[in-house]
Amino acid sequence: YHPSNWTANECLNFLNKRDPSKPFFLKMSFARPHSPYDPSQYFFDMYKERNDLPTPFTSQWSEEYADVDDNSILTWHGKRPMQQIMRARAAYYGSVTQTDYQIAKLLTTLNKAKLLDEMLIIFTSDHGDMLGDHNLWRKTYAYESSAHIPMLLRLPKDMRNNTVRESDRPVMLRDVMPTILDALGLAIPDSVDGLSL
């Protein structure tokens, strides 16, 4: 009944019911990890007792966000008790791991269907979460925890070479569409701000 499991199961249903004679596009969009931090118990339990999770990063300037006006879970800033912060972090990490497991189900299904090597796969996110860094919570801040997110590409087998490349420049969601068009051999409109990766 968890939204991450539901998302993956709906994608698997699509793959099982699609017309195999036609190409397809599948967008697998997870609502988690996102507040509320509510992984299934199994995934929360993976992290709740660990004492090696990173503690929040704070600095002298971030003390201005240390005060909390109320104890609402909707408060976007404020220093929380360390036990509460680490519990939130454990739940967030559990949500990430639960999402990883769901992606693995899809990749396993694609591999068994002998489709994995024919596909362009793009993994990305729209934002991270501050998780108490600088006494801030959620997103919308251009700091490492919120803005430094992954974008991974796996090219179809016939487009790959033996190197793994990393970009030393920021990549953004606006790069997704031109990357797909380029992989398909289609022209990228001049009006597009993004770049093909």
Side-chain angles (χ1 to χ4, degrees):
Y1 296 106
H2 193 278
S4 295
N5 297 27
W6 178 87
T7 298
N9 289 337
E10 287 299 302
C11 291
L12 293 173
N13 287 338
F14 165 80
L15 288 173
N16 291 329
K17 293 176 182 174
R18 71 181 180 84
D19 179 348
S21 67
K22 295 182 179 177
F24 66 93
F25 177 90
L26 173 62
K27 178 184 176 190
M28 187 178 193
S29 182
F30 291 97
R32 306 290 191 278
H34 198 284
S35 56
Y37 312 135
D38 63 348
S40 298
Q41 191 68 48
Y42 174 82
F43 294 100
F44 178 62
D45 289 347
M46 287 180 163
Y47 296 97
K48 73 176 183 180
E49 300 297 330
R50 291 180 57 167
N51 52 13
D52 62 340
L53 296 181
T55 56
F57 181 83
T58 56
S59 60
Q60 187 177 1
W61 67 264
S62 60
E63 285 304 308
E64 74 177 90
Y65 297 114
D67 295 333
V68 179
D69 294 332
D70 59 43
N71 205 23
S72 167
I73 60 169
L74 301 177
T75 301
W76 60 272
H77 69 89
K79 192 169 191 170
R80 299 285 184 179
M82 189 56 71
Q83 182 180 8
Q84 190 179 69
I85 293 170
M86 298 314 288
R87 184 174 171 84
R89 285 174 167 244
Y92 188 84
Y93 281 43
S95 291
V96 170
T97 301
Q98 184 166 3
T99 301
D100 287 347
Y101 272 62
Q102 302 313 306
I103 293 168
K105 283 188 341 190
L106 179 76
L107 295 176
T108 299
T109 299
L110 291 171
N111 192 43
K112 284 181 181 176
K114 300 195 183 327
L115 292 169
L116 193 57
D117 282 336
E118 298 177 20
M119 301 191 63
L120 167 65
I121 297 175
I122 300 174
F123 174 87
T124 192
S125 177
D126 56 346
H127 63 82
D129 196 298
M130 294 302 294
L131 292 174
D133 286 350
H134 302 295
N135 297 312
L136 298 170
W137 293 90
R138 297 191 297 268
K139 55 182 179 176
T140 71
Y141 317 102
Y143 302 129
E144 192 78 4
S145 301
S146 180
H148 191 176
I149 58 169
M151 184 180 287
L152 308 171
L153 290 109
R154 184 179 192 275
L155 295 170
K157 188 174 185 178
D158 62 354
M159 293 178 68
R160 283 184 230 149
N161 57 31
N162 293 327
T163 62
V164 175
R165 293 185 223 160
E166 257 182 62
S167 175
D168 60 357
R169 68 173 179 86
V171 295
M172 302 178 203
L173 292 177
R174 67 185 182 179
D175 298 328
V176 171
M177 188 260 280
T179 300
I180 293 171
L181 291 175
D182 194 18
L184 293 171
L186 300 174
I188 300 167
D190 292 337
S191 60
V192 172
D193 289 332
L195 299 172
S196 172
L197 302 175

